[in-house]
């Protein structure tokens, strides 16, 4: 396989900025202050930050098939990194996407809000209208079809979800509206399956049969979005079997690499990608393992307002960059969406990953 997708030593990474000054969280990396005076903006307007020349050069050097971005975009703490001025979260939710898409490195974004409520065709159309033609979206399916349990407001499972993996609802509430609204800007339609109850983990063959039936019933994404793909992300290591890979392969779907404390590290998930090669890479870098499998609240408390790196994960950057390089050099798309909870500040993690990707040496084809 070209560029040795699953073997070899990690690629070197460009050095991080100097150590944080006294009083700042150890290992943290603050955003550089803008070198210009704040621009005067029209009332209610959102404007892009001033991007430095090395960042622009890094963006120009990205492989065309490499789609880097973040999970959502409505974070005022990205001031000076993505936004100019001090826009509010409300302003960013309405105007931020068009400005976000002007960042030199951002070629995708993960729309996570659809997990909580199905989105409409018009909502997808509005998103698509705000980004360039080569931008591609990663979208999460609604929990209506991806959670085996109906949950209370505190997240506890109350009862079995009769709509879990429903082929009809998956199509009508997710795949079809997304394809109609996003069109060729569809990147990855991700079914992120919530942790299964023990009763279903013990009967994985039945769950796999239901997953196969759901995936097989969906329209072929590539017929309407040539760069699009259906992907499945999981939260239980028990999924990572040859039988799961066979279901994905047979239905034309792919595996979403989920970098989350509930899952094995990246290297231990690579056999799934190996079993599905050749094919695109879909990756969602969700949560730094230092917080544990239930550490979202801790990450939010420590990392907000998400304006600096607190826990840079250099080994994961190196490994992910190596996989991205091999996939894109093999002629396949790579969609990587990064959360603020990965290292503390998603735009800075994207930049660090882009630097690592640029440092991966080019190897001769096998």
């Amino acid at each position: 396989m070209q560029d040795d997708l699953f073997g070899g030593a990690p690629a070197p990474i460009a050095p991080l900025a100097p150590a944080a000054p006294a009083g700042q969280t150890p290992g943290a990396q603050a955003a550089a202050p803008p070198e210009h005076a704040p621009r005067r903006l029209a009332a209610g307007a959102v404007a892009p930050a001033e991007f430095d020349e090395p960042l622009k050069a890094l963006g120009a050097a990205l492989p065309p098939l490499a789609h880097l971005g973040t999970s959502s975009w409505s974070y005022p703490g990205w001031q000076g990194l993505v936004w100019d001025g001090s826009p509010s979260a409300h302003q960013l939710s309405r105007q931020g996407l068009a400005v976000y898409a002007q960042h030199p490195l951002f070629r995708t974004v993960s729309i996570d809000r659809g997990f909580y409520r199905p989105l409409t065709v018009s909502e997808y159309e509005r998103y698509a209208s705000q980004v360039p033609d080569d931008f591609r979206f990663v979208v999460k399916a609604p929990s209506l079809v991806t959670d085996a349990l109906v949950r209370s407001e505190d997240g506890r499972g109350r009862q079995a979800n009769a709509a879990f993996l429903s082929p009809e609802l998956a199509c009508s509430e997710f795949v079809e509206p997304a394809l109609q609204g996003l069109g060729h800007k569809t990147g990855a339609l991700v079914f992120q399956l919530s942790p299964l109850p023990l009763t279903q983990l013990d009967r994985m063959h039945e769950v796999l049969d239901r997953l196969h039936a759901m995936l097989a019933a969906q329209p072929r994404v590539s017929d309407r979005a040539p760069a699009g793909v259906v992907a499945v992300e999981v939260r239980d290591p028990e999924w990572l079997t040859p039988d799961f890979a066979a279901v994905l392969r047979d239905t034309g779907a792919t595996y979403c690499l989920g970098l989350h404390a509930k899952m094995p590290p990246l290297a231990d998930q690579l056999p799934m990608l190996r079993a599905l090669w050749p094919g695109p890479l879909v990756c969602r870098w969700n949560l730094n393992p230092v917080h544990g499998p239930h550490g979202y609240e801790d990450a939010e408390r420590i990392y907000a307002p998400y304006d600096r790196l607190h826990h840079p994960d250099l080994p994961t950057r190196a490994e992910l960059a190596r996989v991205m390089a091999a996939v894109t050099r093999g002629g396949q798309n790579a969609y990587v969406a990064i959360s603020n909870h990965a290292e503390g500040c998603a735009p800075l993690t994207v930049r660090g990953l882009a630097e690592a990707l640029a440092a991966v040496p080019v190897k001769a084809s096998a």
Side-chain angles (χ1 to χ4, degrees), residues 38-50:
R39 294 197 294 269
R40 292 183 177 273
L41 304 178
V46 179
E50 286 281 345

Side-chain angles (χ1 to χ4, degrees), residues 27-294:
Q29 183 180 9
E35 297 178 355
H36 61 90
R39 294 197 294 269
R40 292 183 177 273
L41 304 178
V46 179
E50 286 281 345
F51 303 120
D52 59 65
E53 291 305 318
L55 183 67
K56 294 177 183 178
L58 193 60
L62 275 179
L65 297 177
H67 302 272
L68 289 174
T70 70
S71 290
S72 191
W73 60 86
S74 302
Y75 297 103
W78 293 354
Q79 177 183 355
L81 296 169
V82 182
W83 332 113
D84 191 23
S86 301
S88 68
H90 177 71
Q91 286 177 289
L92 294 174
S93 69
R94 298 178 61 85
Q95 305 175 39
L97 179 57
V99 177
Y100 168 99
Q102 297 177 49
H103 189 284
L105 300 179
F106 293 169
R107 298 179 183 172
T108 191
V109 72
S110 180
I111 300 177
D112 296 345
R113 62 186 289 257
F115 181 77
Y116 305 100
R117 177 185 63 81
L119 303 181
T120 65
V121 173
S122 62
E123 287 175 305
Y124 286 121
E125 288 175 338
R126 182 166 58 86
Y127 289 140
S129 70
Q130 298 177 61
V131 299
D133 198 59
D134 61 350
F135 194 95
R136 298 292 179 266
F137 288 91
V138 175
V139 190
K140 285 181 65 174
S143 62
L144 171 70
V145 294
T146 62
D147 198 333
L149 299 174
V150 176
R151 299 183 184 273
S152 58
E153 291 185 0
D154 62 3
R156 296 182 181 181
R158 294 186 300 168
Q159 62 191 50
N161 177 14
F164 180 51
L165 299 180
S166 164
E168 297 79 14
L169 290 176
C171 183
S172 65
E173 300 297 316
F174 179 50
V175 176
E176 192 60 39
L179 286 174
Q180 286 187 37
L182 298 178
H184 72 277
K185 295 178 183 178
T186 303
L189 303 181
V190 179
F191 290 90
Q192 185 239 293
L193 305 184
S194 300
L196 294 175
L198 290 176
T199 53
Q200 295 200 22
L201 284 175
D202 291 339
R203 305 176 69 86
M204 280 296 294
H205 63 286
E206 295 180 1
V207 183
L208 285 168
D209 287 344
R210 293 178 66 178
L211 178 65
H212 188 285
M214 185 202 74
L215 294 174
Q218 303 313 304
R220 185 175 3 214
V221 172
S222 60
D223 288 346
R224 291 152 70 180
V229 64
V230 169
V232 180
E233 181 182 357
V234 297
R235 286 287 189 271
D236 299 297
E238 289 85 351
W239 281 98
L240 304 184
T241 65
D243 289 340
F244 178 40
V247 167
L248 298 176
R249 188 169 52 248
D250 188 57
T251 57
T254 194
Y255 176 65
C256 177
L257 191 66
L259 303 184
H260 190 287
K262 289 184 178 179
M263 293 296 293
L266 189 159
D268 293 340
Q269 296 184 53
L270 288 183
M272 289 296 300
L273 301 185
R274 188 184 303 127
L276 296 168
W277 181 260
L281 168 69
V282 181
C283 175
R284 295 180 66 251
W285 190 351
N286 297 292
L287 178 65
N288 197 301
V290 300
H291 304 293
H294 305 285

